[in-house]
Amino acid sequence: MGYTLPSKEIFGADIQRLRFYITGTNLFTQTDYLGYNPEVSASPNSSLTPGEDYGAYPLPKSFTMGLNLSF
């Protein structure tokens, strides 16, 4: 999600454009699965086994925030 300020609201005479933004990944998981990771983890000696957490860690949530300036 981002927002660019209209040029009339930018107070600095040298700034032509000012934009704020934020992004996120893995913010929520919608499932009834009670384990750490609802994606398939593989057992060392078998094919993919759904619903089994073999040493799996939870999926990390990440956020990125930023500011873009054009002079």
Side-chain angles (χ1 to χ4, degrees), residues 47-70:
S47 62
L48 297 177
T49 53
E52 297 291 332
D53 283 332
Y54 291 106
Y57 290 99
L59 295 173
K61 292 175 175 48
S62 64
F63 295 93
T64 304
M65 296 180 352
L67 173 71
N68 289 338
L69 292 172
S70 297

Side-chain angles (χ1 to χ4, degrees), residues 20 24 51 67 71:
F20 301 95
L67 173 71
F71 294 98

